Amino acid sequence: LNVASELLFRANLKTPYQTFLKVFEEKNPGVKVNAYGYPLVDFHQKVITEMVAGNAPDILESVAMTFFSHAMVGKGYMPLDSYLDQWRYLGGDGFDKAMMADFTIDGKISSLPVGGVSWGYAYWKPAFKEAGIRAEELQTWDDLIAAAKKLTIDRDKDGRIDQYGLGLTTGRDQFDTMHWEQLAWGIDGGFFPSDQPPYTPDWVSVNSPASVYAMELLADAVHKHKVTVPGVWASERAATDLLMTKKAAIVFVHLGMIEGFKALKPEEFENIGWIRKMSVNWQGKTWKPGVNIGWQSFGIRNEIPREKLSAALEFMKFFGSPEGQTILAEGGQMPIRKDVAGKLDPVKFKHVTDFFTFHSQQYKHIPRHSNLKKRELYSRFGDTAYQKILVEGQPVKAVLDKAQEEIVDIMKK
């Protein structure tokens, strides 16, 4: 089996995925997995090139932001619903079907998520205690900014800030765009109104009044209130690094990207708290952000030779099984099987179980329309408009108006 994945290039996931592949081959004598891939920054374009050339892998990993593109090139992904039902992987202690929204084509589940991912604010408890701030009292964006001001401190009075209140990576990172949309989504902003189809050029909108308002909130945090860490932190671990190095007391973090927390001892991990529901005031009303979940997934390509299909199905079955998910969870991947999360050692794997508990309590997996086409726009948007606004300080409305023209043109092509 030819399996293409960028996860093998992630330092924190390389070992568990190698273990996963080894155990799978031991359980399936005669099946050899040729796992290959590229670093995340190159992966998408390289696998697209392979598929266009007729060299599609048998099984392909996609992140939510690239799944639509991967599905539209070549013969796409095969539906998995009937197999998942047969294996009893949906519902109960298995996978929540609503979590499959980003990997559904024409109502059919076409890829199986790797693990859970969600978004929220993580904060450093000692800093809150020192400043006399109670996290449970922070309910609105205004509350968050007021707290960030108190948490922005020049400890040694040398004219330089030692601890900023809020960590925004303000670089070309998917965190940035997702943070903006998390705020905009709840007030009917974001790339598509109410995150509803059709995902067409005449429907996309990044310069709606709600979207502009949400972006202005972030821009004010950077340029007006000056409560965010200056500079560009363009790396996957940027947000967690800001928190762990005490450069920022609060960060908007991807609750699933846990390599930054994995090295902490359980007692150290107790110093991290979570804030999820951050309301946005809009037109005299208080609105809650919507749910935003995304992750990697694996799917079987329709180009797969018939003689390989049974082996590919065994791979997917093991991948979604309690045993397979446990291997990945013990390597630091937040599981999406309840029966796996519940059996992990709560001390040894506190960095995983705390995330899972937070995720399951704060996120109701509400079925929603898949926002596949929107995902195709994230990286382009993050590379242009977001950086112009937060890093360079250009006017929000003017930049988003220009971005609207560019994105419509991209979608038409």
Side-chain angles (χ1 to χ4, degrees), residues 40 65 119 168-180 232-240 252 254 257 378-379 381-384 386-387:
L40 181 59
M65 284 175 270
W119 302 85
L168 293 177
T169 58
T170 62
R172 290 183 262 184
D173 193 296
Q174 65 181 4
F175 285 151
D176 299 331
T177 317
M178 290 237 182
H179 195 182
W180 163 70
V232 176
W233 303 84
S235 74
E236 282 200 3
R237 290 182 52 174
T240 51
F252 182 70
H254 168 195
M257 199 174 85
Y378 269 123
S379 60
F381 188 88
D383 280 348
T384 53
Y386 205 100
Q387 184 163 345

Side-chain angles (χ1 to χ4, degrees), residues 6-18:
E6 48 79 26
L7 294 170
L8 290 168
F9 287 83
R10 299 194 185 192
N12 65 307
L13 293 176
K14 183 175 182 178
T15 297
Y17 272 89
Q18 287 178 331

Side-chain angles (χ1 to χ4, degrees), residues 128-342:
F128 270 52
K129 184 177 181 180
E130 177 188 5
I133 298 172
R134 294 171 58 86
E136 60 271 20
E137 294 177 356
L138 304 184
Q139 297 295 320
T140 70
W141 179 259
D142 292 337
D143 295 338
L144 186 74
I145 295 302
K149 289 179 178 179
K150 292 184 67 175
L151 292 162
T152 300
I153 302 170
D154 175 6
R155 296 189 186 281
D156 53 12
K157 309 302 180 183
D158 65 350
R160 293 179 296 184
I161 300 299
D162 301 298
Q163 172 188 280
Y164 284 86
L166 185 61
L168 293 177
T169 58
T170 62
R172 290 183 262 184
D173 193 296
Q174 65 181 4
F175 285 151
D176 299 331
T177 317
M178 290 237 182
H179 195 182
W180 163 70
E181 193 180 26
Q182 183 78 356
L183 294 172
W185 199 352
I187 53 177
D188 207 22
F191 284 120
F192 295 94
S194 301
D195 194 33
Q196 301 293 311
Y199 304 112
T200 57
D202 60 325
W203 188 236
V204 67
S205 175
V206 299
N207 64 343
S208 68
S211 299
V212 171
Y213 174 77
M215 185 63 81
E216 285 176 340
L217 293 179
L218 299 180
D220 282 350
V222 176
H223 303 297
K224 179 181 177 181
H225 306 302
K226 301 185 185 302
V227 294
T228 63
V229 183
V232 176
W233 303 84
S235 74
E236 282 200 3
R237 290 182 52 174
T240 51
D241 283 348
L242 292 180
L243 186 68
M244 303 313 301
T245 58
K246 315 297 192 304
K247 286 187 175 68
I250 309 170
V251 297
F252 182 70
V253 66
H254 168 195
L255 302 179
M257 199 174 85
I258 56 183
E259 64 267 31
F261 299 115
K262 187 177 177 182
L264 290 180
K265 298 176 181 178
E267 60 270 22
E268 293 174 322
F269 200 76
E270 293 292 345
N271 285 325
I272 297 173
W274 311 106
I275 309 170
R276 170 60 187 93
K277 306 265 184 173
M278 192 55 59
S279 301
V280 177
N281 299 322
W282 171 244
Q283 297 180 334
K285 299 179 181 179
T286 298
W287 300 80
K288 297 284 188 181
V291 173
N292 197 343
I293 307 172
W295 44 75
Q296 302 87 11
S297 71
F298 281 96
I300 301 174
R301 299 292 300 180
N302 280 320
E303 293 96 330
I304 188 171
R306 182 174 296 272
E307 63 272 16
K308 291 187 177 185
L309 181 57
S310 61
L313 289 170
E314 286 299 319
F315 182 93
M316 295 301 293
K317 183 178 180 180
F318 182 63
F319 173 70
S321 69
E323 183 179 1
Q325 284 279 300
T326 297
I327 292 173
L328 301 181
E330 290 180 348
Q333 176 72 59
M334 188 170 81
I336 49 177
R337 288 194 65 110
K338 301 170 191 174
D339 51 0
V340 170

Side-chain angles (χ1 to χ4, degrees), residues 20-28 31 33 314-315 318:
F20 173 89
L21 295 174
K22 179 181 178 181
V23 174
F24 171 75
E25 289 182 341
E26 290 173 350
K27 286 179 169 291
N28 295 272
V31 178
V33 178
E314 286 299 319
F315 182 93
F318 182 63

